[in-house]
Amino acid sequence: MEKPAQPAIIDLLVCTRCRRGEPAESEAPRPGSILAHALATRSLPAGVRLREVECLSNCSAGCTIVLRAPDRWSYVYGGFDPEADVETILEGTAKYAASADGFVPWRERPEHFRRNCVARIPPLEVSDV
């Protein structure tokens, strides 16, 4: 008997190094870390795993997140406010999780996601060779 396929784990990556233009020498917690902490205190959509990463190389437009999963499009979004945009990130993540292939139609995305998409990356195709 064949086992049903398990739903893929969706990664919500959050750059913890994002500074949003703050001075590098600042001892205060970085906005990216504040955002990661705020998301960690919330209920994420089913199947979504929060992962903190050191740098997503979008420093001038941080805070930055990535949504990715096997066999789905991956998206990089930037320009988040670590205190004001948590609900927006949760909404966008839920829509991504509900999609079959990671593609959420443009008009259905939260406004911030429409205007602050840094990159869209196609699913990795594995060769049969």
Side-chain angles (χ1 to χ4, degrees):
M1 179 178 213
E2 192 174 313
K3 291 183 181 179
Q6 293 293 320
I9 295 294
I10 294 164
D11 286 325
L12 168 57
L13 308 178
V14 179
C15 178
T16 59
R17 305 284 294 167
C18 286
R19 292 190 301 254
R20 293 191 73 215
E22 292 182 7
E25 65 275 356
S26 174
E27 292 299 320
R30 292 182 182 214
S33 289
I34 294 169
L35 177 61
H37 177 73
L39 288 166
T41 64
R42 303 297 300 274
S43 289
L44 297 175
V48 174
R49 158 178 72 185
L50 177 66
R51 298 185 70 193
E52 296 180 12
V53 296
E54 282 293 314
C55 184
L56 290 171
S57 201
N58 191 36
C59 303
S60 63
C63 297
T64 302
I65 68 165
V66 173
L67 292 170
R68 70 174 184 185
D71 300 319
R72 290 180 184 230
W73 284 85
S74 296
Y75 288 86
V76 181
Y77 296 105
F80 291 104
D81 180 299
E83 294 163 355
D85 290 330
V86 172
E87 288 299 323
T88 298
I89 293 170
L90 294 173
E91 177 189 355
T93 300
K95 289 181 181 210
Y96 180 86
S99 70
D101 60 2
F103 181 77
V104 177
W106 190 82
R107 292 189 185 277
E108 294 176 21
R109 296 176 198 167
E111 178 87 16
H112 188 96
F113 280 46
R114 288 186 226 162
R115 303 213 183 281
N116 294 279
C117 184
V118 176
R120 182 174 96 156
I121 305 158
L124 179 65
E125 295 180 19
V126 179
S127 171
D128 290 337
V129 186

